[in-house]
Amino acid sequence: MESKIILRIGGFNIKVDYSKLVNPFARKEFEISIIRKYSGFIYNNKIAKKPDFVITVNSISIAETIYKKEKKSVYFKIYRFINANTIETYHYVSYMDFSMILREIVMKLLSKNNGFMMHGSAVVDKNNFAHVFTGDSGDGKSTTMKLLSYENMPAGDDSVIIRGEKGRYYLYQTPLFEK
């Protein structure tokens, strides 16, 4: 059984490998949740080049925790870097946790590849040009995007990726948690 999914985010291939999940139910549940949340970003090309980053998902019976005595707080470890291009996480992470892991990865890849993520909304017009709206929370970015979406394709509502490639700048949607 194939236990990996390639997510294409910001022009990068991020492989999610959950083959180490030993419980078939956990494997299937994890797969369903990834497909449901990131369906528009799943890259189905079987000839995909080497991934730019790998997320390895493991099963564990006891979660590693950190106890901060002075704050009387317990923190659960949700991921760790294995090397420069691999993160290990666990099947118990929530959608929000996984989104935070993806954000960390995308930011790392963008910083090395002439790109950035920004707070803003965007539409793409009929000529395939992106229009990005920035401003503070409550300034009307989302409203502007919605008003323009009658004749333009919405391309982001809270965060967008801008990346310089081959002398031009491109806008990418993000699969990260948005309003």
Side-chain angles (χ1 to χ4, degrees), residues 17-27 30 56-63 88-92:
D17 181 353
Y18 50 100
S19 61
K20 293 183 179 180
L21 292 179
V22 293
N23 180 316
F25 177 76
R27 183 182 301 136
F30 185 84
T56 302
V57 183
N58 285 323
S59 296
I60 59 168
S61 56
I62 299 175
E88 174 187 62
T89 190
Y90 309 97
H91 71 282
Y92 63 80

XYZ file of all heavy atoms in Angstrom, residues 17-27 30 56-63 88-92:
208
model
N 5.262 11.148 4.338
C 5.456 9.695 4.363
C 4.921 9.146 5.680
O 5.478 9.403 6.739
C 6.941 9.378 4.218
C 7.237 7.888 4.213
O 6.316 7.076 4.463
O 8.405 7.526 3.984
N 3.817 8.422 5.603
C 3.211 7.858 6.807
C 3.278 6.339 6.796
O 2.492 5.653 7.443
C 1.779 8.371 6.997
C 0.895 8.249 5.783
C -0.011 7.204 5.671
C 0.972 9.168 4.750
C -0.820 7.077 4.553
C 0.173 9.057 3.632
C -0.721 8.002 3.542
O -1.518 7.885 2.430
N 4.262 5.789 6.091
C 4.432 4.330 5.996
C 4.836 3.704 7.334
O 4.671 2.501 7.521
C 5.461 3.978 4.917
O 6.725 4.527 5.239
N 5.362 4.512 8.263
C 5.771 3.970 9.568
C 4.615 3.844 10.558
O 4.813 3.385 11.677
C 6.879 4.829 10.163
C 8.165 4.746 9.366
C 9.259 5.549 10.004
C 10.540 5.431 9.191
N 11.630 6.200 9.764
N 3.425 4.240 10.146
C 2.262 4.063 11.015
C 1.879 2.585 10.977
O 1.447 2.080 9.942
C 1.088 4.930 10.559
C 1.264 6.428 10.718
C 0.045 7.174 10.202
C 1.540 6.800 12.150
N 2.068 1.895 12.076
C 1.865 0.446 12.100
C 0.395 0.050 12.221
O -0.001 -0.996 11.729
C 2.692 -0.226 13.233
C 4.171 -0.103 12.936
C 2.373 0.390 14.587
N -0.393 0.876 12.836
C -1.810 0.587 12.992
C -2.539 0.958 11.695
O -2.543 2.128 11.300
C -2.368 1.392 14.174
C -3.828 1.154 14.415
O -4.630 1.122 13.490
N -4.192 1.014 15.678
N -3.174 -0.018 11.031
C -3.863 0.271 9.761
C -4.958 1.328 9.905
O -5.155 2.142 9.007
C -4.463 -1.065 9.340
C -3.804 -2.099 10.174
C -3.258 -1.423 11.384
N -5.649 1.333 11.039
C -6.692 2.331 11.268
C -6.072 3.722 11.351
O -6.574 4.669 10.738
C -7.470 2.013 12.551
C -8.512 3.041 12.875
C -9.712 3.078 12.173
C -8.290 3.979 13.870
C -10.674 4.045 12.454
C -9.249 4.937 14.158
C -10.440 4.965 13.450
N -4.986 3.880 12.101
C -4.309 5.175 12.231
C -3.793 5.642 10.875
O -3.898 6.818 10.530
C -3.163 5.081 13.233
N -3.242 4.713 10.082
C -2.729 5.048 8.750
C -3.854 5.585 7.867
O -3.723 6.605 7.212
C -2.075 3.834 8.105
C -1.462 4.172 6.748
C -0.838 2.977 6.060
N 0.194 2.399 6.869
C 0.347 1.085 7.067
N -0.485 0.235 6.497
N 1.315 0.632 7.807
N -5.147 9.013 9.108
C -4.200 10.071 8.788
C -4.305 10.427 7.308
O -4.380 11.600 6.946
C -2.768 9.652 9.138
C -1.783 10.755 8.944
C -1.579 11.705 9.929
C -1.072 10.863 7.757
C -0.698 12.750 9.735
C -0.179 11.898 7.553
C 0.005 12.845 8.545
N 8.052 12.856 7.883
C 7.889 11.451 8.234
C 6.949 11.375 9.435
O 7.179 12.046 10.444
C 9.243 10.812 8.602
O 10.130 10.962 7.493
C 9.096 9.353 8.931
N 5.904 10.569 9.302
C 4.901 10.442 10.370
C 5.096 9.090 11.041
O 5.075 8.060 10.376
C 3.470 10.563 9.817
C 2.453 10.510 10.938
C 3.319 11.840 9.001
N 5.297 9.103 12.351
C 5.545 7.880 13.111
C 4.431 7.589 14.097
O 3.705 8.489 14.518
C 6.856 7.999 13.905
C 8.070 7.861 13.024
O 8.078 7.074 12.094
N 9.092 8.642 13.305
N 4.350 6.327 14.479
C 3.476 5.912 15.577
C 4.294 5.962 16.858
O 5.474 5.642 16.854
C 3.012 4.470 15.381
O 2.237 4.345 14.236
N 3.665 6.383 17.918
C 4.305 6.298 19.232
C 3.240 5.905 20.237
O 2.060 6.180 20.052
C 4.979 7.611 19.671
C 3.975 8.758 19.744
C 6.124 7.969 18.766
C 4.518 9.972 20.425
N 3.676 5.244 21.286
C 2.706 4.844 22.301
C 2.618 5.865 23.432
O 1.588 6.026 24.050
C 3.060 3.472 22.863
O 4.374 3.488 23.361
N 3.707 6.571 23.686
C 3.712 7.595 24.730
C 4.308 8.865 24.140
O 5.396 8.837 23.576
C 4.547 7.160 25.953
C 3.946 5.900 26.564
C 4.634 8.277 26.974
C 4.755 5.326 27.698
N 3.589 9.959 24.262
C 4.065 11.226 23.715
C 5.183 11.794 24.578
O 5.100 11.763 25.807
C 2.905 12.211 23.635
N 10.253 14.937 11.500
C 9.499 13.789 12.001
C 8.369 14.320 12.869
O 8.575 15.199 13.699
C 10.407 12.888 12.835
C 9.668 11.751 13.507
C 10.567 10.982 14.455
O 11.058 11.587 15.435
O 10.772 9.789 14.203
N 7.162 13.801 12.637
C 6.026 14.146 13.475
C 5.273 12.863 13.807
O 5.736 11.776 13.484
C 5.113 15.204 12.820
O 4.160 15.663 13.791
C 4.398 14.671 11.598
N 4.129 12.998 14.433
C 3.425 11.835 14.960
C 1.966 11.848 14.522
O 1.403 12.896 14.223
C 3.553 11.815 16.485
C 5.001 11.971 16.874
C 5.516 13.205 17.236
C 5.875 10.894 16.784
C 6.868 13.356 17.536
C 7.216 11.032 17.076
C 7.708 12.274 17.451
O 9.041 12.416 17.714
N 1.374 10.690 14.528
C 0.003 10.553 14.020
C -1.022 11.297 14.863
O -2.112 11.580 14.395
C -0.375 9.073 13.910
C -0.561 8.398 15.225
N 0.505 7.995 16.008
C -1.675 8.081 15.903
C 0.033 7.450 17.110
N -1.282 7.479 17.068
N -0.695 11.649 16.087
C -1.672 12.308 16.949
C -1.760 13.822 16.726
O -2.581 14.490 17.347
C -1.385 12.036 18.431
C -0.065 12.583 18.931
C 0.087 13.917 19.262
C 1.035 11.744 19.078
C 1.283 14.408 19.718
C 2.235 12.226 19.537
C 2.360 13.566 19.853
O 3.556 14.050 20.296
